[in-house]
Amino acid sequence: MLIQEENELITRVGPGTPMGNLFREYWLPAMLSEELPNADSDPLRVMMLGEQLIAFRDSNGKVGLLANNCPHRGASLFFGRNEEAGLRCVYHGWKFDVDGNCIDMPNEPAESDFRTKVKAVAYPTQERGGIVWAYLGPRSQPPPLPDLEGNMLPGAQAWAYSQRANWYQILEGHIDTAHVSFLHYGGIQPEDVPTGSFSDYQLRQRSAHFEVIDTAGGAAYAARRPAGPGQAYWRVAQWMFPSFSMAPPGVLGLGKRNACEVPLDDHHTITYQMSVSRGRPGQGPNQNMNPIPMQPKTTGWYGRWQPIVQPDNDFLIDREAQRANRGSQGFTGIQGIAMQDAAVTSSMGPIYDRSKEHLGTSDVMVIRVRRRVIAAIQAHLKYGTPPPGVDDPAAYRVRSGGVLLPEEADWVEATRELRKAFVEHPELDPALNGPL
């Protein structure tokens, strides 16, 4: 459990907050490239870390990210005209380029140099793997992007969905593998899956022994279960600062994917999923990346990537399916892994009071990540220490997944090479990977 002051420290992300300042040291996903499909396409409202921003793709294809309010009199640049390599405010015609420079001020005398003295708040952007990344931090020269192979390799794709919950409780759901055997697989029995598959071992013993290690960019954790004679099944997953995670389904050494929680504000979050093949052997780039049915987009601050199932409709829970308790939907009555996660994390309220919880042995990763985040915030706040991974893109060159090891093996040493990204392992047997 955390005391209330610590809970506030890790959950609040607005401008000037300690956690918000930590987030701003990193490049973060701001939107999918497809949300700005063409040069001079419609501007886009983007809420990010409690800031209201306007994104646009200029005539040259560059993406700008400006503060919502025009620096003249505060009109929203969302209503601006995206034309001729700039965004023009419709109130008085002031026009800004992607760097925030005022390049036209038609309501001032032609001989005036006033426009050279005015600049809109603008944040640097980069595009990679279908994502527009943004840097909201203080450095004049931003750090490098993190080396995430799910966002860098040929065929990299991305999708996104939003939730009404604080970023940190969504992240804790992603780094908690103990819940998988119940929330997602509670209605599935061992006889429903192939004998000797990873899923078989996970279902035959739903509890596990957990171990955690620190890494250069965050932490890695492994869940151990009995497997075949003389073997153990290890399920290895990753977390990297500030809010990147790699789930453990699939074969360790093959998975090329990651997720990232990006706070819109304290109570709303977008999760970005990046993947080359979802880590499952024998599959190429996924042609239908987003498995979550979405509502029609709106132009509001929270109108992007809203799933159809929501707290307002109880995530369309099917009580008859829940009573039957069979299949991937049975235990919860809610369809889809991501929405099962969303149902429980949003049910805690916008920001859960962690001083009321009771943690067990399966929560070792949750505890470790909290300690690392709090330590990084305090070092950054007191001494200006750059947080882990900011200047070390290689710290993100890691993988997750499952592996069979001899019972006596040290999983840390035995998986060292398999946990390295950008390394191919054609020798791995696809038959090891179960259907879950």
Side-chain angles (χ1 to χ4, degrees):
M1 59 176 281
L2 296 178
I3 62 173
Q4 190 58 38
E5 290 77 10
E6 292 172 328
N7 201 47
E8 289 288 302
L9 187 69
I10 64 177
T11 57
R12 303 293 182 178
V13 298
T17 61
M19 187 69 230
N21 290 342
L22 194 82
F23 258 116
R24 285 166 174 79
E25 294 286 338
Y26 296 88
W27 284 95
L28 297 170
M31 68 205 83
L32 299 187
S33 294
E34 68 184 61
E35 296 184 80
L36 297 173
N38 306 301
D40 295 328
S41 55
D42 296 346
L44 179 73
R45 284 190 178 103
V46 175
M47 179 77 81
M48 195 172 176
L49 299 179
E51 297 190 41
Q52 294 182 341
L53 307 170
I54 303 298
F56 69 104
R57 191 182 295 278
D58 75 3
S59 306
N60 303 312
K62 296 180 179 179
V63 174
L65 192 62
L66 307 181
N68 174 53
N69 300 109
C70 175
H72 180 207
R73 298 261 297 280
S76 174
L77 292 175
F78 172 77
F79 298 104
R81 295 173 59 90
N82 190 4
E83 58 186 16
E84 299 175 339
L87 189 61
R88 188 183 297 276
C89 180
V90 296
Y91 199 6
H92 298 93
W94 291 18
K95 183 178 177 181
F96 302 91
D97 66 12
V98 294
D99 296 316
N101 300 307
C102 186
I103 56 177
D104 191 24
M105 196 176 279
N107 67 332
E108 289 293 313
E111 65 274 13
S112 172
D113 67 346
F114 185 42
R115 70 174 180 82
T116 65
K117 301 176 182 179
V118 176
K119 191 166 185 176
V121 173
Y123 294 118
T125 65
Q126 293 189 53
E127 284 191 82
R128 193 179 71 182
I131 285 178
V132 177
W133 295 79
Y135 176 71
L136 277 60
R139 299 188 187 187
S140 57
Q141 182 63 41
L145 285 173
D147 285 356
L148 296 160
E149 58 181 348
N151 180 242
M152 297 174 69
L153 294 175
Q157 300 182 61
W159 54 280
Y161 61 98
S162 65
Q163 295 183 56
R164 293 186 223 166
N166 182 259
W167 76 277
Y168 201 84
Q169 61 203 52
I170 297 171
L171 174 69
E172 288 193 329
H174 284 173
I175 63 173
D176 160 29
T177 64
H179 77 269
V180 173
S181 297
F182 304 94
L183 182 68
H184 306 316
Y185 301 166
I188 303 174
Q189 302 305 315
E191 57 268 23
D192 297 331
V193 301
T195 301
S197 66
F198 285 176
S199 302
D200 181 26
Y201 303 135
Q202 187 169 0
L203 292 171
R204 289 189 184 279
Q205 181 170 308
R206 296 182 188 262
S207 62
H209 167 73
F210 288 88
E211 296 185 12
V212 182
I213 60 171
D214 287 340
T215 64
Y221 58 113
R224 182 184 189 275
R225 291 178 173 87
Q231 288 185 317
Y233 165 44
W234 288 91
R235 205 163 181 263
V236 181
Q238 304 274 356
W239 162 77
M240 297 84 72
F241 276 93
S243 57
F244 296 95
S245 61
M246 294 182 180
V251 176
L252 183 62
L254 297 182
K256 302 169 183 177
R257 64 191 180 277
N258 70 273
C260 183
E261 268 67 63
V262 178
L264 306 188
D265 56 22
D266 292 344
H267 297 161
H268 300 82
T269 304
I270 287 185
T271 296
Y272 292 87
Q273 297 279 356
M274 309 166 214
S275 175
V276 173
S277 66
R278 291 184 184 269
R280 296 191 184 276
Q283 291 189 359
N286 203 302
Q287 299 302 311
N288 182 23
M289 284 299 294
N290 196 335
I292 302 173
M294 292 287 169
Q295 299 180 28
K297 292 180 184 177
T298 73
T299 58
W301 294 112
Y302 306 107
R304 303 163 52 221
W305 309 115
Q306 289 281 351
I308 289 175
V309 295
Q310 291 284 342
D312 295 343
N313 56 29
D314 296 323
F315 290 87
L316 299 180
I317 186 170
D318 183 338
R319 293 294 187 183
E320 291 305 315
Q322 189 183 52
R323 290 187 184 94
N325 193 27
R326 296 296 296 178
S328 60
Q329 183 183 358
F331 191 71
T332 62
I334 297 170
Q335 186 67 45
I337 287 176
M339 293 300 96
Q340 291 165 0
D341 285 334
V344 294
T345 52
S346 64
S347 73
M348 302 173 187
I351 300 179
Y352 182 65
D353 180 359
R354 290 173 176 80
S355 68
K356 298 179 179 178
E357 65 190 2
H358 299 80
L359 302 183
T361 58
S362 64
D363 297 308
V364 288
M365 182 62 175
V366 169
I367 295 168
R368 179 69 63 91
V369 171
R370 291 179 186 180
R371 289 174 178 169
R372 291 216 68 188
V373 170
I374 290 171
I377 293 173
Q378 291 172 339
H380 185 252
L381 185 64
K382 294 179 181 179
Y383 310 111
T385 305
V390 165
D391 296 304
D392 184 13
Y396 297 82
R397 290 175 166 249
V398 294
R399 285 180 179 163
S400 61
V403 63
L404 295 178
L405 298 175
E407 281 183 325
E408 70 280 1
D410 177 347
W411 75 270
V412 177
E413 291 302 320
T415 65
R416 191 173 299 279
E417 294 302 311
L418 295 177
R419 287 184 283 117
K420 293 180 180 178
F422 300 98
V423 178
E424 296 303 320
H425 296 282
E427 77 281 4
L428 293 178
D429 181 7
L432 288 175
N433 191 34
L436 299 179

